[in-house]
Amino acid sequence: MVTYQTIGESTTHLSAEDLAALRENLHEQRLFRQEQLRQLAGPTTSRAEDRLQRQTAAQMEVRIKLAASARMVLADVEAALTRMKEGSYGICHLCRRPVDRQRLMIVPQARYCARCQQVKEAIP
């Protein structure tokens, strides 16, 4: 059982059960993104080719952006699983403080605590 003190008065607590649930969630996300990428790539059959020829440029752009987003999330999930193996999971990459348990339960691949994520997003 690991207990960390965060910036505020609350305590971040990731139990073994929490870590197991987070690991399972990350594995499910990995499978989902891998399948999504397979579907977006799709087989190149004559039927698929006909369908692709009928698609508009906007539809192709959406597929390309979806695939890029899926690859990005998959990379984040893989990185989170690596951090779990290395023992650095749940530690903010910027301030090195623990990421809040509730944040990890919502976004298990989170690299940053909520405060650092806000700062990171505010920088153009």
Side-chain angles (χ1 to χ4, degrees), residues 28-41:
E28 288 173 7
Q29 284 190 48
R30 177 199 292 164
L31 292 174
F32 173 79
R33 295 302 175 179
Q34 289 171 337
E35 178 59 26
Q36 183 181 30
L37 286 168
R38 274 192 288 279
Q39 288 179 3
L40 288 169

Side-chain angles (χ1 to χ4, degrees), residues 52-122:
L52 287 175
Q53 289 174 356
R54 291 190 305 260
Q55 286 181 333
T56 66
Q59 288 171 322
M60 286 302 293
E61 186 176 340
V62 167
R63 287 178 66 87
I64 290 167
K65 288 185 179 187
L66 280 173
S69 176
R71 280 190 291 276
M72 187 172 64
V73 173
L74 180 57
D76 288 345
V77 167
E78 295 285 354
L81 288 167
T82 299
R83 290 191 305 274
M84 277 187 171
K85 287 179 188 174
E86 295 172 348
S88 61
Y89 180 78
I91 303 298
C92 178
H93 279 23
L94 292 178
C95 70
R96 295 296 189 212
R97 291 190 171 127
V99 177
D100 187 62
R101 177 185 179 275
Q102 289 178 332
R103 177 166 168 73
L104 290 172
M105 291 302 197
I106 295 167
V107 185
Q109 69 270 24
R111 294 175 190 237
Y112 308 103
C113 66
R115 182 189 302 193
C116 289
Q117 183 69 45
Q118 287 176 342
V119 169
K120 190 170 176 348
E121 290 174 359

Side-chain angles (χ1 to χ4, degrees), residues 15-27 84 105 108:
S15 66
E17 293 83 14
D18 290 339
L19 283 173
L22 288 163
R23 185 176 293 108
E24 182 178 339
N25 183 308
L26 289 165
H27 282 292
M84 277 187 171
M105 291 302 197

